[in-house]
Every structure is written in C-alpha cells, then in structure tokens.
Amino acid sequence: MEIKESPRLFATIFLRGKSFECKTGMTLRDSLIKLEINPETVLATRRGEMITDEEILKEGDVIKLIAVISGG
Amino acid sequence: MRQHKLALCKDHYLEWVPEQVERAIQKYHMFSHEDRILVAVSGGKDSLSLWDILWRLGYSVDGLYIGLGIGESSAEGLGYSDESERMARQFAEKHALNLHTVSIPQVYGESIPAIAERTHRGREKPCSVCGLTKRHVMNRIAREGGYQVLVTGHNLDDEAAILFSNTMNWIPGYLVRQGPVLEANRAGMVRKVKPLCRMYEREMAAYALLRGIEYVYEECPFVEGSNTIYYKEILNKLEFDRPGSKINFYLTYLQAKENGLFAPLADTELELLHNCPSCGQATTAPGECAFCRMMAKGKKP
C-alpha cells in the first residue's frame, strides 16, 4: 500500500537554533506575538528572501528569523 | 515600517536608506565631500552598512578594524574577533576600499580579556576595557592618518539605549554631551559623528540583508546580560506598543538640548580637559590618560 505524506498543517519558524511550529493562515506578526517574540527585534526570511510582518503564513513555510539587536 | 507609516519595495528601500543617512549628515553638519573620513568597522551590520552607504554617496571613506583578540579560532571555525575581521576585510576587498587594521594583542601584547584580567577593571567583563581601548585606538589612527572626522555605526537603538541609561542614572555630563556630533574641542581629539543616529537597528539589518552585505551574526561572547541589551529590550517593548517611541525619545531630547534645556555647566569634564603627557590625547584625568594608566598598571617597570 502506498503511504501518502500528509500535507504539513503548520509553518515552522526558526530562531537561534530553536524551531517553533505555528498555525497557518495568520500573519507572521501575529504568529510572533503568539510565540512571545517581539517583532521589533527580528527580521524574517523565507527561502532566503526577506518577508514583511504582514505576510500570511502558509502550510509548509519555513521561516528563518534573524535577531537584529546587538550589544553595541 | 510602522514608525514611519511607510512600506517600500526592495529597490526603493535601498534608495531610501542612503537618502535618510545623507539627510542626517546635512542636518547635523557632520562632514562634506571634501573631508577625509575614517569609519570604524566591527564586522557587524551597522558599521559595514554605513561604510557601504557612505561609499555609495560618494564620500572619501577608509575603514578601521580593531582586532580585540576575543574568542579563540580553532579547527571548528574562527573565533569572534577573527571572524569579524574576515567580514571587514571581505567587504573592503569587494569594494576596493582601504582598510586599516590594528590588532590589540599584536600592538599591546595582550588581548582585551587579558588586559581586563590583569588590571581588574570592570566587573567580571572586559567591556569597559574594550570601550576605553577602542576609543583610544580610533582617535590615534584618525589623528595619525590625518582624517578630519571619525565615523561610527551607532544606530538609533544604540543612542536611545544610551540616553535611557543616562536618564535613569541622571548623569548630567553625559546628557549634555550625547549627540550626533562630538566636536574636537581640544588638541589631540578628532571630531566624531554618528550618521546612523536616526536609523532603527532593524532598518539597518534589513539594509544589510537586502544589499547582500555579509556581516558577523554572532554576538560578542561578553554581551550577554549587558545593560545595553536590557535597555534595548525595554525600549523595544515601548516601540511595539507605540510605534515611533524610540525616535521620538531621541529626537525630542536633541530638540530640548538645542533649546538650551541642558546646561553646558553640567559637563564639568570639559573644563578639565588637557593632553596626556604620554600619548598626547585629550583626557580629563590629572596626568596620564585612563588608557595609558591602564596599560601601565601591574606591569613591571
């Protein structure tokens, strides 16, 4: 019997080596807030391209966050 | 960009950032196209982006990298300082720009953490030694090289965090002195300016990313738990609730200062400035400057 891979119902967000699974259909900003990550402190990329906070997360999205705050 | 109520595509964003920086340069009379400029580069996003912007704006600008000797390189990878230097060199080579490098361990015989350990300066962290050494070396190289102005990559978040700290601790001298331009009001001092003072840290990271500038992502290993990070977190909470809070805090402070609300008398150090008999740089301390005293401390005559 052929086993079909079920579609991923979550988007995955990576920050500093940690991964978080998020519901799809929400904006990135709302997802970050839910994860208690201040959107002011990160930038997000998907497939190497920068995306805005208002991007709606889709199934299977892999979002890499870049921390932007440095010690100075 | 909620703080500006503005959304831009990549191309327009990469035009907008240099325009904003140029505006700050003009507004605060930082320097002109006739000046020779030295930019201090750490290998991080702000200083490398600043060098890129000044180069794109047509300014005559060389770089200065100071190797601090932090983190050891091994077969698994470069240490923090070596990786930072690699980024600075890579940027300079790519754009055919002139980069001065000063290795603290080579010139002074010790790394920054080793100096901190020897002199017992700072509380278990070498940050105050690092700051003092960098200021000394930056000024020295700028003087020796005949540069009219020394440029640093301090962004709005850096400035707002410093201002917040100085306000929380009511340090009048620092409150009077802080600003986009620190004049060279004594022989031995070079004019220092901060062209990114109105640019959000997040805006600079976006600029580096969109311009394809490779920078060191890793943080200095000593930064964890620093006051600057703590104050930045607080200010970013404010910014999240009230977009524009950080820029408003900084710009209203500058306006208040311009309106004379901070008495110059509060800056008592200015009166005390004299030249260090050893290195010739300006200092408020009697006799030798803090750097020369630090370097002599605990060393056999």
Side-chain angles (χ1 to χ4, degrees), chain B residues 76-139:
Chain B
E76 287 158 29
L78 293 176
Y80 174 73
S81 286
D82 289 341
E83 177 66 359
S84 303
E85 181 172 352
R86 189 179 73 83
M87 293 296 176
R89 284 187 185 278
Q90 181 177 277
F91 181 89
E93 279 166 22
K94 188 176 171 186
H95 296 83
L97 292 165
N98 184 30
L99 176 70
H100 302 270
T101 58
V102 175
S103 162
I104 299 297
Q106 278 178 25
V107 175
Y108 298 101
E110 289 170 302
S111 68
I112 291 290
I115 297 171
E117 203 176 320
R118 173 174 57 79
T119 58
H120 304 290
R121 199 184 164 104
R123 291 182 204 141
E124 297 166 13
K125 285 193 173 199
C127 304
S128 70
V129 169
C130 187
L132 178 62
T133 307
K134 283 195 288 193
R135 285 192 295 277
H136 177 89
V137 172
M138 286 190 291
N139 201 67

Side-chain angles (χ1 to χ4, degrees), chain B residues 33-46:
Chain B
H33 283 273
E34 281 69 50
D35 289 326
R36 285 186 66 233
I37 301 160
L38 183 67
V39 60
V41 288
S42 64
K45 63 184 186 311
D46 301 299

